[in-house]
Structures are given as C-alpha cells and as structure tokens.
Amino acid sequence: MAMNLASRRHGRRRAPMADINVTPFVDVMLVLLIIFMVTAPLLTAGVEVNLPDSRAGALDQDQEPVMISLDRNGAIFVGEDQVPVAAFPNRLEQMAAGGNPPQVYLHADRALDYGTVMRVMGELNRAGLNRIALVSTGAEAK
C-alpha cells in the first residue's frame, strides 16, 4: 500500500503556482512604514512653537515695500525723493492713509548715531507703519 501512494505521487505532476506570495512584501512595507513614522518627527528643524488659531486672511503680498533711507548727514529719502525733516511725518501719514499700510525697509548709514535712527523709527510707529525691516549688508572681513 505504501508503494501505491509513492507511485501515485511521483506519477502526477504539480501545476505551477499562479498566485504571488505577498506576505514578504507586506512585511517589508510595514517595517519601512514604522521606520519613516519614527524618523519623520526627528527631521523637522527649528524651535517647537504652539501657534494660536486665527481667522485672519492671507497677507497682501502684491504690495511693494517702501524704501526709506538715511544718509550720512541725516537726510531722509523716501524711495529716491529727498524729504525735508519737517515734512516727513506728513509724508508717512499719507502712506499709512490707505487701508493696508506697506512694509517699510529702513536703510541707515552706519555713521549715524542711534538717536537719529530711533527718531525716524518713532515717526514710523506714530504714523502706524509698524512693519519695519532694518536693512544691512554682510559683515566685512577685517
């Protein structure tokens, strides 16, 4: 009887398997998923900040910034136009009169004293122009 079972087994050929074994593929994908889930939070750089919620709309980025320059002598320029010190507050109020005050880039000569720059920044603040960027150049090689 054992002989008959053995002969039957050798005499019959197996058909090729048509199904793909996906178990190793799923195992590898799960391991990769776990690796990425663990390492993704570590890739973010910077300081963690808990930001508040806001319903504010997007900022208007189409508006050109206003360039205000102070030369070595303390003369004030708005764009390319020189503005007398007495007329400067009125000019700032005209710029802030629109609904959306512009971004201000402040260029000040390094020879100016701190007080002159602070007076100009005080006038900007009084007029409602609070988005001020101080422009500088890279450090010089000494």
Side-chain angles (χ1 to χ4, degrees):
M1 196 166 172
M3 297 285 268
N4 284 339
L5 287 176
S7 65
R8 272 192 202 163
R9 187 176 268 183
H10 288 288
R12 203 170 96 187
R13 287 195 117 163
R14 289 182 137 181
M17 191 167 98
D19 295 333
I20 298 174
N21 188 4
V22 294
T23 304
F25 176 71
V26 171
D27 289 343
V28 169
M29 295 309 292
L30 287 175
V31 169
L32 288 175
L33 177 67
I34 291 170
I35 289 171
F36 285 122
M37 286 174 55
V38 170
T39 60
L42 301 175
L43 296 177
T44 58
V47 177
E48 184 177 332
V49 177
N50 188 11
L51 296 175
D53 295 331
S54 174
R55 296 186 327 175
L59 295 175
D60 183 17
Q61 297 295 327
D62 296 334
Q63 191 176 19
E64 281 291 318
V66 175
M67 304 287 189
I68 295 180
S69 303
L70 300 169
D71 68 358
R72 181 176 294 263
N73 301 324
I76 302 172
F77 294 86
V78 176
E80 298 291 323
D81 303 327
Q82 184 172 358
V83 178
V85 175
F88 184 61
N90 293 334
R91 180 76 180 261
L92 293 178
E93 289 174 7
Q94 290 173 357
M95 289 189 307
N100 189 11
Q103 170 82 29
V104 175
Y105 288 170
L106 182 59
H107 299 255
D109 193 276
R110 74 175 65 214
L112 284 174
D113 64 337
Y114 184 71
T116 304
V117 177
M118 287 309 297
R119 276 192 293 278
V120 170
M121 289 182 68
E123 288 296 326
L124 288 166
N125 190 13
R126 190 183 66 73
L129 299 170
N130 297 325
R131 294 174 43 211
I132 303 169
L134 299 175
V135 180
S136 66
T137 59
E140 294 179 3
K142 291 185 178 182

